[in-house]
Amino acid sequence: MEVLNERGLHARPVTRIAQTASKFRCELTLGRDGQTANAKSVMGMLLLVCPRGSKVTVRASGPDAQTAVDAVRALFVDRFGEGT
Amino acid sequence: MSEAEGASTRRFLGIPASPGVVVGRAFVVDRRRVTVPRRHIAPDDVEAEVQRLRVALGLARVQLEQIRARLSLDASDHSVILDAHLLMLDDALLIEQSERAIRDEGLNAEWALRRTVEKIKEVFDRADDDYFRERRSDVDFVGERVLRQLMGAPIEISRPLDLFGPVVLVAHELSPADTAALARTDVMAFVTEVGSGTSHTAIMARALAIPAVVGAPDALRHIATGDMVVVDGLRGVVLRNPTDAEAADATDRGERYGAFVRSLRSNSAGVAQTRDGTPIRLRANIELPGEVAVAIDHGADGIGLYRTEFLYIDRSEPPTEEEQFETFKRIVSTMAPRSVTLRTFDLGGDKFSTAFRIPKEMNPALGMRAVRLALREREVFRAQLRAMLRASAFGDVRVMIPMISAVSELRASRGEFDRAKEELRVAGLPFRDVPFGIMVETPSAVTMSDLLAKEADFFSIGTNDLMQYTLAIDRGNEHVAHLARPFDPAILRAIATVSRAAKERGIPCALCGAMAAELLAVPVLVGLGVHELSVEPTAVPEIKEALRRIDLAEARVFAEELLGIASAEEIEERVRDRYASVFATLLSNGENGTFTETGSFILPEFDGRE
């Protein structure tokens, strides 16, 4: 998935990802350049340092994995509700 | 104390971040980092230590949640930051690493936590992106909050506040959570040592409609909890231990401001003109696009100075033409049909940008700044000029160059301006032919003003720099800053020279420095032939009312007389004698006005005729 919003994965998007991820029981991770972070960890995701244009891999394993990935994808596509 | 109380320990100048004036007791919030005790713990105590950390994390979480609950809805941006802070508190990374340090290395909880926080901050430090580098402060903030819980250090600032009743909050810096925690009626004003008009404190204060002065260095060193302070959010001044007269004056100004704000709704639409009917353009100085609404709201007849350098600060690359165009377009079309003067970037000096490599200078005020930097970075300069020209298709635009100190600089800038137009023509992008003017803010520009007037479309006198350069006084140097007086005869003569030169060539002469917002200076300035004033948006109503009380013919004669006087003290006294009574309600005594039954405030000598 590509980070489309102008300011990248900053506090607000990351907070939304974590809030979404915590609704699911599966293990959900975000990866970039070989680094991975728990999608329920705000700090972990901020530490991936993803400015606009970065490519992020989302992985999930568990009972509701597919739904969780879809929910996170929807956030990315929507640019986290930031418009630009 | 043997040392006499000096002006610098009593009067603190900062950035007026939120309008209003109050007098109240200070409450000092020390947000400096706590010193962390370091010790190794016995293996038997490890689990207890881990438990201690968890309890502290839990308490910090409860506290943040309480703060968030107190936040008003209109402060939703802050609410998001608090959500992020809350999630950080629960963060596996933070908790696991800290717990591991306690378990594996036998560190005490404080030490373990601080070390984890430092490690996380290091990663952010290495980031290429400014935004992520700044996130270290969020981690730090969350860490400090837990540390204070661990150590029993005071953090819930609302408790001691209750002992004092309404207070003025003084701090080095307030985090969004601090500011939100205090979003209640018992905080009258904010004062911080760091920050800008865009800092959280400023935004929150404006949302709460309480005065704030930010970026007032040294305030914390001299102001103690319990001190009486005046916070003047209109002028960016904090006064410690005011005299009775000063306190009364501040209270009046505060009430008057409140009354102004209320009466504004009915009077703001009016044109600014002198008592004898000569219109004087009264415009606003802004730094942020968001201030346009404030300017309109306060009845400004356009923007007399938009400081575009703020688009360049805190970023590693200059903003693109497209990005600037969008910003300018928004401002210009919102303001239309009123005019907007866009000033090209005035960087260097005391305003640094990471976008340009400016070596450390011994004397930055005399160094690579403003137009000099623009003429070195011509591509960047022209990109900005193109963005400004393109915005002219959406309203009334004027382009202004800062810090011109020679005709050759004006010519070189105009050369780039013409080239920018040519480039737009080639690209087929629409623009209008707009006035191209200069700031007159160096002594050489004053001396050369007759010849500059032949080649510039308008002048705008920048009194802040003009005073610094003409009087050779560093305004940032507390030992000499008080010597810079707006009524210095050298300054009045300089203004007279410039306005005469403008008049001779028939070009407009504006003035956009802080002096334009000094009530008593207003009759002198218009008397000297300045026919456009540009002031901070919130000062517009006051200055508009002042203009309405001035008889221009009289002011001209009076100003001419002042030019023959030798000292700033004598001039100030003469001005006070002549105009203090005219501006009585404005200067000190808002109660001379009357409240109507509907609560709007009517000033004498103003009958609402428009």
Side-chain angles (χ1 to χ4, degrees):
Chain A
M1 287 175 206
E2 187 174 348
V3 178
L4 296 169
N5 64 313
E6 189 187 345
R7 290 170 66 198
L9 286 191
H10 63 91
R12 186 201 296 260
V14 154
T15 304
R16 293 194 57 182
I17 295 174
Q19 283 165 343
T20 303
S22 61
K23 289 181 201 144
F24 298 97
R25 299 207 331 270
C26 62
E27 289 283 316
L28 200 57
T29 61
L30 257 58
R32 189 199 173 211
D33 296 344
Q35 260 188 297
T36 57
N38 186 337
K40 295 173 186 176
S41 161
V42 164
M43 208 98 77
M45 287 186 285
L46 279 177
L47 286 174
L48 289 179
V49 183
C50 304
R52 180 184 203 154
S54 2
K55 299 269 195 297
V56 177
T57 322
V58 181
R59 281 209 177 77
S61 64
D64 45 11
Q66 192 54 49
T67 342
V69 171
D70 289 344
V72 172
R73 189 197 312 277
L75 289 176
F76 272 82
V77 171
D78 182 41
R79 302 178 177 205
F80 308 96
E82 296 193 339
T84 52
Chain B
M1 252 203 310
S2 58
E3 197 187 336
E5 190 161 272
S8 65
T9 64
R10 219 174 74 78
R11 203 176 143 85
F12 308 92
L13 295 181
I15 299 160
S18 179
V21 187
V22 295
V23 187
R25 292 217 176 268
F27 182 81
V28 177
V29 181
D30 195 351
R31 292 269 309 123
R32 279 171 293 196
R33 310 181 69 190
V34 290
T35 314
V36 169
R38 295 182 179 194
R39 58 194 166 80
H40 285 279
I41 45 175
D44 284 353
D45 297 333
V46 161
E47 282 316 307
E49 197 65 12
V50 168
Q51 206 47 42
R52 210 163 70 82
L53 176 68
R54 288 181 181 169
V55 169
L57 283 163
L59 287 173
R61 157 167 267 279
V62 168
Q63 209 176 47
L64 273 177
E65 274 171 350
Q66 282 172 350
I67 289 168
R68 195 182 49 169
R70 250 185 259 157
L71 254 174
S72 56
L73 287 170
D74 56 341
S76 56
D77 263 2
H78 293 270
S79 172
V80 171
I81 298 168
L82 288 179
D83 281 343
H85 286 170
L86 274 166
L87 286 166
M88 281 184 186
L89 271 180
D90 277 346
D91 209 282
L93 199 75
L94 183 74
I95 298 171
E96 279 167 20
Q97 285 199 13
S98 305
E99 290 192 5
R100 209 176 306 140
I102 298 173
R103 288 212 169 91
D104 299 353
E105 298 173 60
L107 306 186
N108 63 328
E110 289 91 340
W111 190 358
L113 182 73
R114 171 61 64 83
R115 217 182 55 178
T116 307
V117 166
E118 293 301 327
K119 271 190 198 158
I120 294 173
K121 278 164 63 186
E122 267 173 40
V123 179
F124 282 131
D125 269 345
R126 285 200 299 269
D128 283 336
D129 188 281
D130 279 344
Y131 174 80
F132 289 100
R133 267 200 303 274
E134 285 156 22
R135 283 322 93 202
R136 50 176 296 158
S137 66
D138 287 327
V139 187
D140 212 17
F141 167 79
V142 169
E144 285 293 298
R145 212 153 245 279
V146 182
L147 276 176
R148 281 177 188 248
Q149 287 291 356
L150 280 169
M151 297 168 63
I155 181 157
E156 185 47 87
I157 30 196
S158 66
R159 203 169 342 111
L161 276 183
D162 294 338
L163 302 174
F164 284 91
V167 291
V168 170
L169 211 80
V170 185
H172 178 66
E173 174 173 34
L174 290 167
S175 71
D178 286 331
T179 320
L182 300 153
R184 358 187 300 175
T185 49
D186 55 5
V187 175
M188 309 163 73
F190 294 122
V191 176
T192 60
E193 286 189 320
V194 298
S196 67
T198 57
S199 56
H200 295 300
T201 308
I203 294 163
M204 186 64 87
R206 286 196 289 263
L208 296 168
I210 62 175
V213 174
V214 302
D218 274 358
L220 215 56
R221 224 172 77 202
H222 300 289
I223 298 173
T225 295
D227 281 351
M228 283 302 283
V229 286
V230 168
V231 181
D232 185 341
L234 293 170
R235 292 175 182 167
V237 178
V238 180
L239 205 57
R240 184 174 67 91
N241 291 341
T243 62
D244 288 351
E246 284 166 341
D249 181 63
T251 307
D252 283 341
R253 291 196 58 232
E255 284 171 4
R256 206 178 60 240
Y257 177 73
F260 259 123
V261 170
R262 287 187 294 275
S263 63
L264 218 62
R265 301 288 169 265
S266 48
N267 287 342
S268 63
V271 178
Q273 57 179 13
T274 58
R275 212 174 68 201
D276 41 344
T278 308
I280 302 285
R281 295 266 179 210
L282 183 55
R283 298 189 162 128
N285 298 339
I286 64 164
E287 283 175 13
L288 305 166
E291 286 178 286
V292 168
V294 185
I296 293 175
D297 205 40
H298 284 72
D301 184 19
I303 302 297
L305 169 64
Y306 172 45
R307 302 182 174 100
T308 62
E309 53 271 18
F310 287 88
L311 297 169
Y312 291 73
I313 287 170
D314 283 341
R315 52 191 297 167
S316 49
E317 292 292 322
T320 62
E321 173 183 335
E322 223 39 54
E323 184 182 344
Q324 298 187 74
F325 165 61
E326 287 301 328
T327 305
F328 299 156
K329 179 180 142 187
R330 208 163 56 236
I331 294 173
V332 168
S333 47
T334 311
M335 217 57 209
R338 289 161 287 215
S339 103
V340 176
T341 303
L342 301 169
R343 182 178 72 182
T344 59
F345 57 83
D346 182 1
L347 290 161
D350 52 2
K351 282 167 282 188
F352 297 105
S353 168
T354 39
F356 300 110
R357 203 168 288 280
I358 304 173
K360 199 171 159 53
E361 295 175 324
M362 281 289 283
N363 204 338
L366 305 180
M368 182 53 72
R369 62 173 288 199
V371 69
R372 298 167 186 171
L373 182 63
L375 292 174
R376 191 188 79 179
E377 309 282 341
R378 294 194 180 216
E379 297 297 321
V380 179
F381 186 39
R382 253 191 352 271
Q384 184 173 54
L385 291 171
R386 284 193 304 270
M388 290 176 170
L389 280 163
R390 287 170 61 189
S392 71
F394 299 87
D396 187 356
V397 168
R398 303 196 299 181
V399 171
M400 179 160 77
I401 311 295
M403 277 288 289
I404 291 286
S405 58
V407 175
S408 60
E409 278 175 345
L410 168 56
R411 288 180 182 163
S413 309
R414 201 188 266 278
E416 296 302 320
F417 187 61
D418 291 339
R419 239 182 106 185
K421 288 187 205 168
E422 195 45 48
E423 286 163 349
L424 290 178
R425 268 184 219 111
V426 170
L429 291 164
F431 66 95
R432 280 186 233 173
D433 204 15
V434 303
F436 185 80
I438 62 167
M439 293 278 294
V440 178
E441 50 188 339
T442 62
S444 57
V446 173
T447 317
M448 299 297 295
S449 54
D450 55 335
L451 297 181
L452 286 165
K454 285 186 180 173
E455 303 186 31
D457 298 330
F458 64 90
F459 283 163
S460 187
I461 304 172
T463 45
N464 303 357
D465 273 327
L466 185 61
M467 280 170 71
Q468 148 158 306
Y469 294 126
T470 304
L471 304 175
I473 290 168
D474 174 2
R475 48 190 171 151
N477 181 338
E478 60 193 82
H479 303 292
V480 295
H482 66 281
L483 296 171
R485 309 180 69 144
F487 287 120
D488 194 290
I491 299 303
L492 296 197
R493 285 169 178 231
I495 294 168
T497 304
V498 176
S499 89
R500 263 200 297 268
K503 193 178 172 196
E504 213 129 283
R505 306 298 309 185
I507 64 169
C509 180
L511 189 141
C512 62
M515 191 175 176
E518 284 293 329
L519 273 174
L520 286 172
V522 173
V524 181
L525 295 175
V526 298
L528 288 174
V530 174
H531 31 55
E532 179 183 325
L533 299 174
S534 194
V535 300
E536 299 307 316
T538 51
V540 168
E542 193 179 52
I543 301 304
K544 190 178 276 190
E545 177 59 26
L547 286 167
R548 286 168 172 158
R549 296 175 184 212
I550 296 167
D551 183 293
L552 187 57
E554 247 176 66
R556 283 200 182 119
V557 176
F558 181 66
E560 199 57 43
E561 281 169 31
L562 295 182
L563 292 176
I565 300 177
S567 80
E569 290 75 9
E570 287 168 273
I571 293 174
E572 198 171 330
E573 200 185 316
R574 283 286 290 279
V575 176
R576 214 167 266 286
D577 281 352
R578 175 66 189 79
Y579 282 99
S581 59
V582 178
F583 296 151
T585 47
L586 296 173
L587 279 168
S588 63
N589 196 357
E591 286 148 281
N592 286 0
T594 47
F595 283 96
T596 66
E597 279 168 19
T598 54
S600 68
F601 186 72
I602 305 289
L603 290 159
E605 300 164 47
F606 176 65
D607 56 13
R609 226 172 353 113
E610 282 301 332

